[in-house]
Amino acid sequence: MKNLRLLNGLLVLALTTLIFSCQQQETNPTNPNAITDEIKAQFKSLGFDPSDIKYVNQTNTLTNETQEGYILEQDMFISKANLAEMLASDTKTGLNGEQYRTRNLVQRLPRTIRVVGYTGNSGTISVPRAEDADNNIDGRASVGALSSRMRTGLQWAINNYNALNTGLTFQLSFRNSLSGGDIYVLQEFNGELGGIAQFPSGGNPGRIVRLFSGMNGLSNNANEHVATHEIGHTLGFRHTDFFNRTISCGEGGNEGQSSAGAIHIPGTGTTNNASGFDSNSIMLACFSRNTQGEFSAQDRRALEFLY
């Protein structure tokens, strides 16, 4: 259990991180769960590499619930139920650029996602590493109300998502309390550009988004970009260039799969290098000050495939 607390009683939020233990069981040809050529073909059609696939039972140590499924690419768990859902999805076509998602996604579609833009008093929250989409170090953050420019950017970001053909409807409100929402958006007073967000957990979107105070010196479009990007993380999107941050940032390397996973989204290509790359993706690790804050065609394709 990880707690986020706003001092002086301003904020108390409890976040639970589900920790899974994986017990691998090798199959044999007489086992009904044996890996068949058909199963491998199904995963390949979804953009996975099934060359090292294994059947496993995965147990949630908190609930003792066991799921049957498969381990692929060394550390990627796909349950039998998730496989069936992906195979039943209406796959979109087109192979340019590539987008990636975490293992956990928002579930129980269609549904309304309530987004709260915080307008209350300042305080401090804890920042647990395991909850951060960008894998920040543990620590504390000074947070408070969104600025006028951030509020405009957040509204435009919500408009971006509601313009998509998905099973998600986003409902935005601005209030001085952190209640009645699924996603809470606050300003972090660190003077930096960008933001940070949490990945989905338990079938729900990531709960906290922090927009950095340096964004107040940039345009409404730039604030729209960052808000749209961070909400993308709450829905389970990894950085489009997670495998090589130098593509958009000019420095850094491979972020790695991490515990969240980095699963290719079918219909968005599979080229893990700068050649033919979706340089317009809103999910790139770094952004330009002159950004227009809009989804690329591949971003829209990825979101509409998943949701």
Side-chain angles (χ1 to χ4, degrees):
M1 180 73 70
K2 294 183 173 69
N3 295 320
L4 294 119
R5 291 187 174 88
L6 189 59
L7 296 183
N8 302 320
L10 297 176
L11 168 64
V12 177
L13 287 176
L15 297 176
T16 300
T17 300
L18 295 180
I19 302 173
F20 292 99
S21 67
C22 198
Q23 301 172 343
Q24 296 190 11
Q25 299 178 351
E26 296 292 344
T27 62
N28 59 62
T30 61
N31 190 316
N33 293 307
I35 306 301
T36 64
D37 289 340
E38 179 183 5
I39 291 174
K40 291 181 179 179
Q42 289 172 342
F43 276 111
K44 191 172 183 179
S45 72
L46 293 170
F48 297 100
D49 177 6
S51 60
D52 63 350
I53 187 171
K54 293 181 178 67
Y55 168 78
V56 302
N57 285 329
Q58 176 167 284
T59 302
N60 183 329
T61 58
L62 298 180
T63 66
N64 290 323
E65 178 186 4
T66 298
Q67 288 184 302
E68 295 181 85
Y70 307 94
I71 292 288
L72 299 94
E73 301 176 22
Q74 298 183 3
D75 63 352
M76 193 181 300
F77 176 75
I78 307 293
S79 71
K80 285 187 173 182
N82 285 341
L83 174 60
E85 290 175 1
M86 288 188 288
L87 290 171
S89 296
D90 180 17
T91 303
K92 307 298 187 295
T93 60
L95 298 173
N96 296 295
E98 61 270 0
Q99 272 71 10
Y100 298 87
R101 67 172 179 86
T102 59
R103 295 185 184 90
N104 294 324
L105 295 174
V106 177
Q107 299 174 6
R108 298 182 296 278
L109 306 182
R111 67 185 290 183
T112 297
I113 303 297
R114 300 165 300 170
V115 180
V116 172
Y118 184 62
T119 60
N121 296 323
S122 300
T124 304
I125 60 173
S126 63
V127 184
R129 178 179 185 134
E131 297 293 343
D132 284 343
D134 288 308
N135 237 10
N136 253 18
I137 61 174
D138 292 335
R140 301 188 67 78
S142 175
V143 297
L146 297 177
S147 67
S148 175
R149 185 158 291 177
M150 289 176 175
R151 291 176 62 174
T152 297
L154 179 57
Q155 179 64 71
W156 291 2
I158 295 303
N159 294 345
N160 287 338
Y161 282 99
N162 282 333
L164 299 172
N165 181 24
T166 71
L168 299 175
T169 300
F170 290 81
Q171 185 179 82
L172 175 63
S173 62
F174 293 98
R175 61 183 68 179
N176 60 10
S177 65
L178 293 174
S179 62
D182 300 298
I183 300 172
Y184 298 100
V185 187
L186 308 92
Q187 177 174 191
E188 178 173 346
F189 302 111
N190 58 10
E192 298 179 6
L193 300 178
I196 197 166
Q198 297 170 344
F199 285 138
S201 176
N204 296 312
R207 197 159 174 79
I208 299 293
V209 170
R210 287 133 53 201
L211 304 180
F212 297 161
S213 56
M215 294 304 300
N216 291 310
L218 299 187
S219 67
N220 288 337
N221 282 331
N223 278 268
E224 174 192 14
H225 178 109
V226 172
T228 303
H229 176 107
E230 299 307 332
I231 291 174
H233 281 316
T234 71
L235 302 181
F237 278 83
R238 290 290 303 269
H239 291 143
T240 304
D241 56 346
F242 87 95
F243 55 87
N244 184 4
R245 289 174 63 99
T246 61
I247 293 175
S248 65
C249 300
E251 61 182 6
N254 192 326
E255 295 176 2
Q257 292 273 334
S258 80
S259 60
I263 303 171
H264 168 250
I265 299 173
T268 65
T270 56
T271 306
N272 283 8
N273 55 54
S275 177
F277 186 72
D278 182 11
S279 59
N280 295 316
S281 174
I282 208 161
M283 293 310 300
L284 291 171
C286 295
F287 67 98
S288 166
R289 292 169 179 261
N290 297 321
T291 177
Q292 295 302 302
E294 306 300 329
F295 288 123
S296 72
Q298 304 308 315
D299 293 333
R300 291 191 291 272
R301 181 176 293 119
L303 282 157
E304 291 177 352
F305 174 85
L306 292 178
Y307 294 113

